[in-house]
């Protein structure tokens, strides 16, 4: 979902121990993160008085920082606490996006770990209570291998290629394309993890270091397991997707969304995608704060 003027949305940011409203500057032209992209982040959602999997998202921020050899000055409880403080600055019926960030202030190409900064931003953005759907097709761009990019972190430097894939797909009338890994197997959708259903069996790409195993992906797989629904993690070819009975995504922004078209073949949101949606939201609505 594109937002042409994201910086104008109602927002609060926790910077250097205090909350600041709006879109304040946090970097100067001499900041290491400004030129050399030592920035990691994460994203969580609040809606209807719940903040599902907040701890998982905050913990991943710290893992991403350590992957970059940053030295966080805050612990997990502090990140969770500032996230909740930010959410509470909005009315309970306002959906928000929670975005904690860490980056290095000092250093050249080699960052200074001791200069790690922490910023928590919470901003208002709509959330749909209906399962969305989108079209897909094959992107000419691929996810990098772990020896090519910092794929074990949710890192800002990885997202220009996501932007490129989405823009290229949009010019072809495709909402969210499939990206392959360096070996030619399916990695994920450009902005979400991927699931395929064939003959009643759920499949998802095996983790191989080329894409992040999403927090929502893990949650849905756990909910499926509790219902006795097996998810097979394995290499998947793009041709298999074109013959699938169902395709759906999991991700923080939309949680669960179904594919309604792959290339020129129309699909209907199927019972497994609907089950994933129903299970997720039955669980999420018990996670009040």
């Amino acid at each position: 979902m594109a937002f042409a003027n994201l910086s104008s949305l109602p927002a609060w940011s926790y910077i250097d121990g205090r909350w600041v409203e709006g879109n304040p500057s946090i970097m100067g032209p001499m900041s290491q993160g400004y030129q050399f992209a030592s920035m990691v982040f994460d994203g969580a959602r609040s809606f209807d008085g719940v903040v599902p999997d907040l701890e998982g998202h905050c913990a991943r921020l710290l893992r991403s920082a350590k992957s970059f050899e940053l030295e966080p000055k805050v612990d997990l409880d502090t990140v969770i606490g500032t996230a909740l403080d930010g959410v509470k600055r909005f009315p309970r019926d306002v959906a928000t996006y929670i975005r904690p960030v860490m980056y290095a202030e000092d250093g050249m190409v080699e960052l200074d770990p001791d200069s790690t900064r922490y910023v928590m931003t919470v901003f208002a953005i709509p959330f749909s209570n209906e399962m969305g759907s989108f079209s897909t097709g094959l992107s000419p761009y691929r996810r990098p291998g772990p020896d090519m990019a910092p794929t074990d972190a949710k890192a800002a430097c990885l997202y220009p290629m996501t932007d490129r894939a989405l823009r290229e797909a949009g010019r072809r009338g495709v909402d969210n394309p499939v990206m392959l890994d360096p070996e030619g197997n399916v990695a994920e959708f450009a902005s979400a993890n991927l699931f395929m259903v064939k003959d009643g069996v759920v499949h998802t790409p095996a983790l191989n270091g080329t894409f992040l195993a999403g927090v929502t992906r893990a949650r849905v797989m756990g909910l499926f397991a509790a219902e006795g629904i097996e998810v097979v993690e394995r290499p998947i070819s793009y041709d298999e997707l074109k013959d699938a009975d169902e395709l759906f995504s999991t991700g923080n922004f939309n949680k669960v969304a179904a594919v309604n078209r792959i290339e020129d073949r129309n699909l209907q949101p199927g019972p497994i995608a609907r089950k994933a949606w129903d299970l997720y939201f039955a669980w999420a609505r018990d996670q009040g704060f």
Side-chain angles (χ1 to χ4, degrees), residues 200-224:
V201 180
V202 185
H203 306 261
T204 195
L207 302 181
N208 61 5
T210 67
F211 63 95
L212 278 182
V215 173
T216 308
R217 174 185 185 270
R219 177 61 61 192
V220 168
M221 289 175 67
L223 293 169
F224 273 163

Side-chain angles (χ1 to χ4, degrees), residues 43-66:
R45 286 287 246 155
S46 78
F47 53 89
D48 300 338
V50 300
V51 192
D53 279 320
L54 178 61
E55 180 174 348
H57 287 287
C58 294
R60 186 171 61 181
L61 171 76
L62 295 172
R63 291 196 302 272
S64 294
K66 291 176 181 178

